[in-house]
Amino acid sequence: MKNVIVTDPPRTAIADLDRLAEYGVATVHEATGRTGLVGAALHPLQEGARIAGSAVTVLSWPGDNLMIHAAIEQCQAGDILVVTTNSPSLDGSFGELFATQLQHRGVRGLVTTGGVRDAVDLRAMGFPVWSAAVNAQGTVKATPGAVNVPIIVGGVIVKPGDAVIADDDGVMVVPRLDVAAAIASSQARTEKEAAARAAYLGGAVSMDQNKLRGVLADLGVTYEPYSGD
């Protein structure tokens, strides 16, 4: 990978990011054909945060956070910083001082395949983080990498400007050019779920609402009365 800092990439519109955040990870993931989920390796540092932002991507070397420093001035309001390393590393490469700079710039949160530290401070300042570890082990600032290039997080390609959605259910990515379609399908799913919820409140059960009795029959599942011990 070329050592480069790409400036001024295209971004997902903030109004679209806000819509995606309202739907949340589970709804958007289902609505988009169960694509883009980065897996279960990244965990929220906090509870109750639900955000969406335009990806600013960072590729670093393990044990080195130089490129995070370089990425900060490329960030702007509505962004999410997405960090990975070119081989696995759980060192605590991100902490409160980074978060202070990003929060001042209107950045909505951090997603990293590495570790973070200053966990108490990050929670107290309300800066949302999803990471693979909490780890006090520090890093150096010595090795070049790249900012705003395509990276891979949990098997998912993340390009600068893609929409990243994160909440208590996990983290997922919607390619920037697919955002409009994701919003439309998520809205349709939300309306479908609202109708189902109303039916359940009226006494319906999901076996009927989802037309699953025929599925059970086709699979050879039968109902039999209890015959005793």
Side-chain angles (χ1 to χ4, degrees):
M1 175 72 70
K2 182 179 179 182
N3 298 324
V4 63
I5 299 170
V6 178
T7 62
D8 300 317
R11 285 172 161 86
T12 300
I14 287 182
D16 290 340
L17 295 170
D18 291 343
R19 290 284 301 279
L20 290 172
E22 290 176 4
Y23 296 125
V25 170
T27 293
V28 179
H29 181 236
E30 292 289 345
T32 54
R34 298 184 179 179
T35 61
L37 193 65
V38 306
L42 305 188
H43 308 283
L45 185 65
Q46 62 291 310
E47 292 184 352
R50 175 175 279 178
I51 65 172
S54 193
V56 171
T57 62
V58 180
L59 180 64
S60 294
W61 279 72
D64 194 307
N65 68 1
L66 175 63
M67 299 314 295
I68 298 179
H69 287 273
I72 288 175
E73 64 181 357
Q74 303 304 319
C75 293
Q76 63 186 42
D79 289 344
I80 289 179
L81 191 64
V82 185
V83 181
T84 193
T85 48
N86 58 11
S87 62
S89 174
L90 297 180
D91 292 339
S93 62
F94 184 97
E96 175 264 334
L97 291 178
F98 275 146
T100 299
Q101 298 175 72
L102 292 174
Q103 197 169 59
H104 176 74
R105 301 177 78 87
V107 174
R108 296 182 168 184
L110 168 78
V111 171
T112 177
T113 62
V116 300
R117 57 185 187 175
D118 303 331
V120 171
D121 301 304
L122 292 171
R123 293 189 187 102
M125 65 191 296
F127 186 79
V129 168
W130 287 258
S131 69
V134 175
N135 188 356
Q137 176 64 50
T139 56
V140 300
K141 303 165 183 60
T143 318
V147 175
N148 280 330
V149 298
I151 61 174
I152 296 177
V153 177
V156 176
I157 297 174
V158 187
K159 296 180 180 179
D162 284 349
V164 177
I165 314 164
D167 59 23
D168 287 354
D169 291 331
V171 178
M172 70 165 295
V173 180
V174 178
R176 181 175 60 86
L177 297 180
D178 296 340
V179 165
I183 289 172
S185 58
S186 296
Q187 180 61 30
R189 183 173 180 84
T190 298
E191 293 170 0
K192 180 180 178 180
E193 290 182 347
R197 188 176 301 108
Y200 299 152
L201 290 171
V205 294
S206 55
M207 281 292 297
D208 294 321
Q209 188 71 20
N210 295 324
K211 298 180 173 59
L212 296 176
R213 297 193 188 279
V215 175
L216 288 181
D218 290 343
L219 292 171
V221 178
T222 61
Y223 289 82
E224 296 181 2
Y226 180 68
S227 60
D229 297 331

